[in-house]
Amino acid sequence: MQRVLFVCLGNICRSPTAEAVFRMIAAREATVEVEVDSAGTHAYHVGSGPDARAVAAARRRGVDMRELRARAVVLNDFERFDLLLAMDQDNYQHLLEMAPPERRGRVRLFLDYAPELARREVPDPYYGGPTGFEDVLDLIEAASRGLLAALAASR
Ligand code: 4NP
């Protein structure tokens, strides 16, 4: 069993989308057993469901994320999860500062798993238009496939 936590700022747009997309792809491929969760570096939206725009965009691709609820990253996440995958550089730096020094190696940028994209960040779609959510999904789908392949290879 490999445990992966996806992390963004609010845990209502990018990281719950990554959680739902990766969970679906991993279940469909069934090459590795994974436990998946997501969390935010900030607590603004704790207890809220995902942003309606993210829910609608995911639904158009066959992914249901309505049941998810936002939570903040806690210290124990660095023990519980093998990988903590940040959506952008801000989230990444925040996790590194929060991590116990011996756990910093568990923190990565999610898009490191999609080197073919030549992009390092899943951009925050919160204040933008609907195309931002489509871009987020494209990036997350690509990195999810790469992550699954990496986990399967490292078993
Ligand atoms: P997320 O998007 O980090 O992808 O969940 C955001 C959600 C809320 C805010 C910013 C980004 N906010 O400022 O409230």
Side-chain angles (χ1 to χ4, degrees), residues 99-150:
E102 72 278 13
R103 295 299 187 216
R104 283 186 192 139
R106 297 183 168 195
V107 178
R108 312 267 173 82
L109 275 171
F110 184 33
L111 291 194
D112 284 353
Y113 291 94
E116 73 280 7
L117 298 177
R119 290 176 63 174
R120 306 216 68 205
E121 303 191 293
V122 181
D124 181 349
Y126 191 69
Y127 292 107
T131 58
F133 287 85
E134 298 302 326
D135 187 37
V136 163
L137 276 163
D138 291 341
L139 297 171
I140 284 172
E141 285 176 352
S144 291
R145 287 191 293 271
L147 172 61
L148 194 63

Side-chain angles (χ1 to χ4, degrees), residues 8-15 44-45 124-127:
C8 63
L9 180 67
N11 193 212
I12 57 168
C13 297
R14 294 166 291 175
S15 63
Y44 316 126
H45 297 281
D124 181 349
Y126 191 69
Y127 292 107

Side-chain angles (χ1 to χ4, degrees), residues 3-8 37-39 41 71-88 91-92 94-96 98-100 103-113 147:
R3 296 177 176 83
V4 180
L5 183 70
F6 296 101
V7 177
C8 63
D37 195 7
S38 64
T41 58
R71 73 171 179 90
V73 177
V74 294
L75 256 187
N76 186 248
D77 288 328
F78 296 95
E79 310 305 322
R80 185 173 148 210
F81 293 94
D82 304 296
L83 283 173
L84 295 90
L85 301 179
M87 296 296 137
D88 66 28
N91 314 146
Y92 179 69
H94 190 110
L95 288 174
L96 285 182
M98 192 179 171
R103 295 299 187 216
R104 283 186 192 139
R106 297 183 168 195
V107 178
R108 312 267 173 82
L109 275 171
F110 184 33
L111 291 194
D112 284 353
Y113 291 94
L147 172 61

